[in-house]
Amino acid sequence: MASTPAVRIERIEARILDIPTIRPHKFSFGAISRQSPVVVQLWLSDGATGFGEAATIGGPSWNEESPESILHAVRSYLAPAVTGQDAARFEALLQRMDAVCKGNAFAKSAVEMAAIDAAARSRGLPAWQLLGGKLHASLPLAWTLASGDSTRDMEEAERMMAAGRHRIFKLKIGARSAADDVAHVSRIARGLDGRASLTVDINEAWDGNTARRWIPELVDVGVTLFEQPVAKWNVEALHQVTAAAPHRALVMADETVCTPQDALLLARRNASHVFSLKVAKHGGLLRTRAVAAIAQAADIGWYGGTMLETSLGSAASAHVFATLDGTHHNCELFGPQLLADDIVAEPMAVRDFALQLPDGPGFGVEVLPERLERFDRTRAGLQPVHVDLGRGGTTTH
Ligand code: MUC
Ligand code: MG
């Protein structure tokens, strides 16, 4: 049988974009008013092209990588390692990237994403067909309330529900004292009065004792999912918080679960009920599937997480999430709605409170070169973004 000739990667380019958010987005560690995704474009020998994206939050505030480090890793190490290679041998591309560069998962994910998009487009297929086939055509879509102001958050939630867009809300807490945060969440929960599901994301701000002290109070006001209450490294505290959680509460690992090895450690230690899956932190779409497989085998649920990507990275995430079996706890691919502008012709549809999987070739979204030019950091002459620490900038419990 004649084998299909390899389609090779001819050229890779990467750039940082700077796109404002529609309002400041507040985390336990500071606020952002701008996102700086790195967009990778990859050209194949048959003329097909593909795009990938990796977004961090507040430079290297969320974890070690920043837009600048991603750009450097892609240009100096990853692009040279995969140029000339068969674009559709995704595992071989990952091996080559691993051989020249330790870690740097976000950077690798952007290159792998572009290769998958290009390989799918050169075959005229949606990416999910190269990733195992889709099990979901849509996923319930959460929105994050993170303006820092209870009244504004309430109004935002009401607007989202009235528009049929979201009825799952994640509240970002951890920047204030735990007592103030619980008061803030309680005000919103009372206002919503059981019409929406509530998650809180503490982004590592608490220690184990603080988490065990306050989670039951948040459960009493109606919060059901607790994301990354303790530091990334503190698997033992995460285990204890999970073991002590009231039965109505689920504890979700985010920053702690990056590699498949992290996933295995957490599973062995019974350290969380749910994993937040994110393509960037796992190092690509294939490794997202590897982490999801460990979750499923260990009876751990999954949640479709975001790093606040544009419609490009969000669509790529939607394609891999659509292929995953196991118990899912919705997704939060709302980055395109939080950004004041986008880089694609037609964003993914949101209908009946759910994100609809785009079915065209590749990731099913068309990147507009003119938008890449418009937001390109070198054209705009912008500097790296720092997270806004506000006054004080430290947390007290
Ligand atoms: C995170 O830590 O989950 C996801 C949604 C959001 O508002 O922030 C991100 C990062
Ligand atoms: Mg999180």
Side-chain angles (χ1 to χ4, degrees), residues 135-136 292-293 295-297 299-302 321 323-329:
L135 290 170
H136 317 277
Q296 195 186 351
D299 197 21
I300 291 169
W302 64 268
F321 296 158
T323 68
L324 300 179
D325 200 358
T327 311
H328 77 80
H329 296 269

Side-chain angles (χ1 to χ4, degrees), residues 25-27 29 57 62 143-146 170 172 201 203 227-228 252 254-255 276 278 303 305-308 332 334 338:
H25 201 64
K26 293 199 173 168
F27 296 82
F29 52 84
I57 292 175
W62 193 90
W143 173 259
T144 297
L145 300 170
K170 167 160 142 178
K172 289 287 194 183
D201 189 354
N203 282 114
E227 182 171 343
Q228 197 67 46
M252 177 155 78
D254 183 9
E255 285 88 329
S276 174
K278 294 181 178 174
Y303 175 84
T306 180
M307 287 300 291
L308 308 177
E332 58 173 23
F334 66 89
L338 185 69

Side-chain angles (χ1 to χ4, degrees), residues 44-62:
L44 301 187
S45 50
D46 68 353
T49 181
F51 289 93
E53 171 181 356
T56 64
I57 292 175
S61 296
W62 193 90

